[in-house]
Amino acid sequence: MQVKDLAFTARQAAYDLSALSLEKRNEALKKIGQALQAHAAEIFAENRKDLADAERENLAAPLLKRLKFDEKKMQDVQAGIASLIALPDPLGHTLLARELNPGLNLYRISCPIGVIGVIFESRPDALVQIATLCLKSGNAALLKGGREALHTNRALFAAMEEGARGILPDGWAALLETRDDVNEMLSQDECIDLLIPRGSNAFVRYMMDHTRIPVMGHADGICHTYVDEYADIETAVKVTVDAKTQALAVCNATETLLVHERIAAAFLPPCAKALKEKGVEIRGDEKTQAIIDCLPAAEDDWATEYLDAILSIRIVNSLEEAIDHINHYGSHHTDAIITENESAKQRFMSRVDSAGVYVNCSTRFADGFRYGFGAEVGIATGKLHARGPVGLEGLCTYKYCLLGSGQTVGETTSYTHRDL
């Protein structure tokens, strides 16, 4: 079926999904989880095909790790579905209730966006996360994963279709597979309400330049950890190592470490030792090179998302210089300060213009599941319509419902505007 037909079918399915009860949506989620588990062996077998192909193409080790879908990933997927089922219904909430005139009441009610197209990386578990989030929030979905995960995505999608059959409307989700499919999707502005690309700045910009559909952009994840002069060194080392090495090829890993000059001599040696033990290559400015053994950092390093075991380090002379660096070179994703100083905490949180601003914790916490959102379709670094990890709430909009009793504008000469 062509993309335009899939989009049209999804449009019709979205109308039915928007009216489907929470019980039915949760039932579909439960059945999808059961179908995925029932087909686990064949899903793992298809994943091994993708891994073998990727190894032949010399895919980088961190990306291979993301591509792998094994029993542990299946457990994570099942946990994610269970957490979604447990979450309250995001639909039908009264966000505003106001009397305009006696007997004429206005209500703002949460509702689905409609049809969402998501293009995501070669991480098969993302397919399940995104599809189930769209389902719980009453949205139809067109899903395009990375080509490296083609076999796995097909197996996962077939299992999800089987689980939802008879509960959800046909065409509630569709799997796209080629670059041509993506380009055709960009032209379906009559059927698709929102596009969510998960990829580089260049990819997001390409999407924006080639469609009339609103795009919720997720730019590069150039995340920072700033070690302030008032930081606890043990905490700073522990958090920095986790932020860089807990997972490498992820958008919320720290790529640049900023260190106040007054703590650099005490902090950098133990931190560098811990990072090197994890296999991290360190690139530093001249001041950093004078304290630890590392490669020289170039100007490009400050604006690079490595997605690898590489960390750039710059020594700054003040909190303000750290904030200026982050706002200039960062991607407005997630940035953290390590400090025991209350004034520094407050200034950092108010001045850093990022979707996530953290104090004394790892940037790796920037995740919809960890936030309790029931996973995420991505992390939005813009400011409209959602920001940060986009979970159920970010996949909803609202409509205004006005309940009257025969009122006309010509007859209405005054308004009470009384909140109910």
Side-chain angles (χ1 to χ4, degrees):
M1 188 180 293
Q2 293 186 341
V3 173
K4 65 178 181 179
D5 298 319
L6 294 173
F8 179 80
T9 302
R11 174 83 273 158
Q12 303 311 305
Y15 296 136
D16 294 333
L17 268 177
S18 68
L20 207 61
S21 69
L22 174 66
E23 290 72 23
K24 283 292 185 183
R25 281 176 277 137
N26 280 343
E27 180 188 356
L29 287 169
K30 181 179 178 181
K31 295 291 187 182
I32 285 173
Q34 293 172 346
L36 288 168
Q37 193 62 59
H39 292 282
E42 56 204 82
I43 292 169
F44 298 156
E46 292 302 299
N47 184 247
R48 287 192 289 271
K49 293 180 184 178
D50 287 328
L51 288 170
D53 289 343
E55 287 174 353
R56 281 193 292 271
E57 295 179 11
N58 296 315
L59 194 69
L63 298 180
L64 276 173
K65 185 177 180 181
R66 298 184 82 181
L67 178 59
K68 188 174 184 179
F69 193 93
D70 54 9
E71 187 60 49
K72 173 63 168 62
K73 289 287 182 71
M74 179 64 80
Q75 291 173 4
D76 291 344
V77 160
Q78 296 293 344
I81 292 174
S83 73
L84 266 182
I85 292 172
L87 288 173
D89 194 352
L91 306 179
H93 287 281
T94 301
L95 308 174
L96 176 146
R98 179 170 296 160
E99 178 191 85
L100 303 187
N101 194 267
L104 184 64
N105 296 333
L106 177 69
Y107 300 91
R108 182 194 295 153
I109 308 295
S110 62
C111 64
I113 290 173
V115 180
I116 300 176
V118 189
I119 303 95
F120 53 97
E121 68 279 24
S122 301
R123 185 162 64 86
D125 49 319
L127 173 66
V128 182
Q129 290 176 0
I130 294 165
T132 53
L133 274 169
C134 288
L135 163 54
K136 177 82 176 195
S137 56
N139 293 287
L142 300 180
L143 308 163
K144 168 64 173 71
R147 64 178 181 83
E148 292 87 356
L150 178 62
H151 294 98
T152 317
N153 285 341
R154 285 175 176 172
L156 288 168
F157 188 77
M160 288 191 293
E161 277 196 312
E162 178 184 306
R165 192 168 296 129
I167 305 172
L168 302 183
D170 292 341
W172 69 277
L175 183 65
L176 310 184
E177 296 187 346
T178 69
R179 184 172 296 179
D180 288 341
D181 287 344
V182 172
N183 287 326
E184 187 175 348
M185 181 168 63
L186 298 181
S187 67
Q188 303 306 310
D189 55 287
E190 292 186 1
C191 292
I192 299 174
D193 298 291
L194 178 68
L195 292 173
I196 305 177
R198 293 169 39 148
S200 67
N201 268 320
F203 178 60
V204 173
R205 177 56 57 190
Y206 175 85
M207 299 280 287
M208 291 177 173
D209 289 345
H210 290 82
T211 187
R212 291 191 295 269
I213 304 168
V215 176
M216 186 187 295
H218 167 194
D220 293 338
I222 304 176
C223 301
H224 300 78
T225 295
Y226 165 58
V227 179
D228 186 50
E229 62 177 309
Y230 301 107
D232 175 82
I233 290 178
E234 184 178 348
T235 298
V237 171
K238 179 177 69 171
V239 170
T240 299
V241 172
D242 182 88
K244 177 67 251 183
T245 70
Q246 198 275 332
L248 295 172
V250 290
C251 63
N252 55 16
T254 286
E255 305 289 27
T256 296
L257 176 65
L258 302 173
V259 183
H260 195 287
E261 62 183 5
R262 290 179 186 161
I263 202 172
F267 164 73
L268 282 176
C271 187
K273 180 176 183 293
L275 288 167
K276 289 178 179 179
E277 287 173 353
K278 294 280 189 177
V280 176
E281 174 189 301
I282 298 174
R283 301 175 185 179
D285 64 357
E286 289 185 4
K287 292 181 180 179
T288 301
Q289 294 172 60
I291 298 173
I292 60 172
D293 179 29
C294 63
L295 297 173
E299 176 68 19
D300 289 348
D301 283 302
W302 312 130
T304 298
E305 181 184 24
Y306 300 113
L307 299 174
D308 204 348
I310 303 170
L311 179 70
S312 57
I313 302 178
R314 179 184 176 188
I315 294 176
V316 295
N317 59 24
S318 66
L319 169 63
E320 285 68 29
E321 187 178 353
I323 292 170
D324 289 345
H325 179 105
I326 291 169
N327 287 337
H328 178 74
Y329 290 102
S331 59
H332 310 291
H333 190 297
T334 304
D335 301 287
I337 182 175
I338 313 300
T339 187
E340 299 301 312
N341 182 277
E342 290 301 321
S343 176
K345 293 176 185 178
Q346 294 303 320
R347 188 160 181 78
F348 189 87
M349 286 191 290
S350 64
R351 290 287 309 282
V352 170
D353 184 23
S354 296
V357 186
Y358 294 179
V359 174
N360 292 335
C361 57
S362 171
T363 57
R364 286 282 290 119
F365 281 106
D367 177 83
F369 179 75
R370 296 187 180 102
Y371 279 15
F373 293 171
E376 66 189 36
V377 295
I379 295 183
T381 52
K383 299 178 183 179
L384 296 174
H385 112 107
R387 197 179 194 194
V390 181
L392 292 176
E393 183 180 347
L395 294 177
C396 296
T397 183
Y398 53 79
K399 62 177 69 173
Y400 286 100
C401 300
L402 186 60
L403 307 184
S405 50
Q407 288 87 350
T408 66
V409 170
E411 295 173 327
T412 304
T413 58
S414 64
Y415 295 88
T416 56
H417 290 160
R418 181 175 65 89
D419 287 338
L420 302 174

